[in-house]
Amino acid sequence: MGYKKPTAEMIEQLKAIMPGRVFTGDDMNSDYSHDEMAFYGKYQPDVAVEALSTEEVSAVCKLCYENDVPFVPRGAGSGLCAGCVPIAGGVVIGTQKMNKILGYDLENFIIRVQAGAFINDIAEDCQKHGMLYPPDPGEKFATVGGNVSTNAGGMRACKYGTTRDYVRAMTVVMPNGEIMRMGAEVSKNCSGYSLINLMCGAEGTLGIITELSMKIIPQPKVTVSLLAPFVDLDTCISCVSKLKMANLNPQALEFLTRDNVQAIEKFLGKTVYPAVCDGETAGAYLLVSFDGYSQEELDSTLEIAAEVFSENGALDVIIYDTPDGLRNAWLVRGSCLEALLADFKLMDECDVVVPISHIADLVNYADGLQEEVGLVVRTAGHAGDGNVHINVCSNDLEEEEFMKRVDLFMDLVYAKGIELGGLISGEHGIGSAKVKYLEKNLGAEQLQLMKGIKMAFDPKMLLNPGKVCYSL
């Protein structure tokens, strides 16, 4: 692609733009070379900079563009597909110091933030104002810009939707350094092509998001959860549509398999979910959460939900309505990844999304591949929206052999997901790690169309190259 490296003169120009926040050589943190799945590649950038403002990001982009040097935006680096990894070298633009909450417009249900603000900090600050920021991805210390860039979902997507549904407006630095304002702080928008929706999920390949206006809602006053154990996963998942048809609008609706729960409880050092109910061994669980603005509002919801569970194969229905009970119930679901990392030396994860009725088909198929590929498979996921997190793990293999087996597993499980009417990612994104699978999913023609969009935004193909729709 004709990429160039930053010259000594260019580095001095960067230092003039960001005094004390330009790093090279041994002064550069090695974290800039990878994300949370480091085996998808470690590529040290030539330069790393830490931006404080939109104007600084603009100046760096302009300088890189004029010098044909590739550049990559990076938030917290919590991605799983090498989306922020500088595979072509160049300059990494860190946004974590752009972490301010800029203010509220409560009359119009808006919070304004810089892109480097952590989801955890936004959620806590909203609570102080009696408001809720509905998107709730599992990694609470990811940045909001990163979440928008991957259209992150999370557990509350069942009721509230994904991150994209809360983006009202954004400030974007284009690859050539031009600053654009996309969208507006309004509820409706049919004013030309939806560029803001192109930016959501683009993984930092079309422009660099620096500021956001996000929709928020009044904070619900009451939250209650139910746990329903089932004999097997098929019975468990068949209950999901029944619960939704009852018009109960759960905030979150998650499933876990028994083998996963056992591993998590071992990691936590305590038993939370019952293994046996009335002499029957649980094979899978549904964990559902409801929120509302009064206890009375939720009482009838809980009664109907318990009836739906009992009439559709649940071995028991357990209510969690105290702070400790809620914390423990959701601690199990929230500790899936930590437990896996504690148990296994090597792990990879995919997040196939399928129609809800096919969750069990996909999970059973993935479990059945364990002997064929020689890897341990653990699954959990969002029963309410069909997004299944499938982890493949090993303690015995060298990394090279592990990756070969992961490739085989991914080929098979993605093909099955597509056969079931699904897509290869519900919220993690594509990055550079999953490009080949996306082409198999969507076809070369769609990827070529995406690449055409990329070239319209970035004619020199310098911004976060080799991601989403093409490989280097």
Side-chain angles (χ1 to χ4, degrees), residues 45-121:
D46 298 295
V47 183
V49 302
E50 294 179 346
L52 297 180
S53 68
T54 297
E55 290 70 26
E56 286 188 350
V57 174
S58 172
V60 174
C61 290
K62 184 177 181 182
L63 189 58
C64 289
Y65 215 70
E66 289 173 348
N67 288 275
D68 295 325
V69 172
F71 51 105
V72 179
R74 178 189 169 90
S78 57
L80 301 171
C81 301
C84 66
V85 177
I87 60 178
V91 178
V92 164
I93 304 173
T95 62
Q96 277 202 61
K97 291 185 180 295
M98 296 176 61
N99 57 8
K100 294 185 178 63
I101 294 172
L102 301 172
Y104 291 83
D105 178 353
L106 293 179
E107 289 185 341
N108 290 301
F109 303 96
I110 294 291
I111 182 173
R112 302 182 185 110
V113 295
Q114 288 185 308
F118 287 142
I119 298 303
N120 181 77
D121 296 344

Side-chain angles (χ1 to χ4, degrees), residues 6 13 78 133 191 195 199 227 247 268 279 329 379 420 430 447:
Q13 290 174 299
S78 57
Y133 175 66
S191 306
L195 298 181
M199 294 299 303
L227 179 75
N247 199 29
L268 294 174
T379 55
L420 295 171
I430 304 302
L447 256 67

Side-chain angles (χ1 to χ4, degrees), residues 7-47:
T7 62
E9 180 185 359
M10 181 179 164
I11 292 171
E12 290 305 311
Q13 290 174 299
L14 288 170
K15 289 179 178 178
I17 296 167
M18 300 179 174
R21 289 175 281 118
V22 177
F23 307 96
T24 59
D26 293 339
D27 293 332
M28 193 162 26
N29 192 320
S30 63
D31 285 350
Y32 285 117
S33 69
H34 63 87
D35 67 2
E36 287 296 312
M37 289 293 184
F39 54 71
Y40 277 123
K42 293 184 178 181
Y43 299 87
Q44 195 74 355
D46 298 295
V47 183

Side-chain angles (χ1 to χ4, degrees), residues 2 35 48 148 366 376 382 454:
D35 67 2
V148 172
V376 176
H382 312 308
K454 162 72 173 168

Side-chain angles (χ1 to χ4, degrees), residues 325-347:
L326 284 166
R327 190 179 305 111
N328 283 329
W330 287 97
L331 180 63
V332 174
R333 175 63 184 93
S335 298
C336 286
L337 185 58
E338 286 179 280
L340 285 169
L341 292 171
D343 278 351
F344 295 100
K345 180 179 70 174
L346 294 169
M347 187 202 76

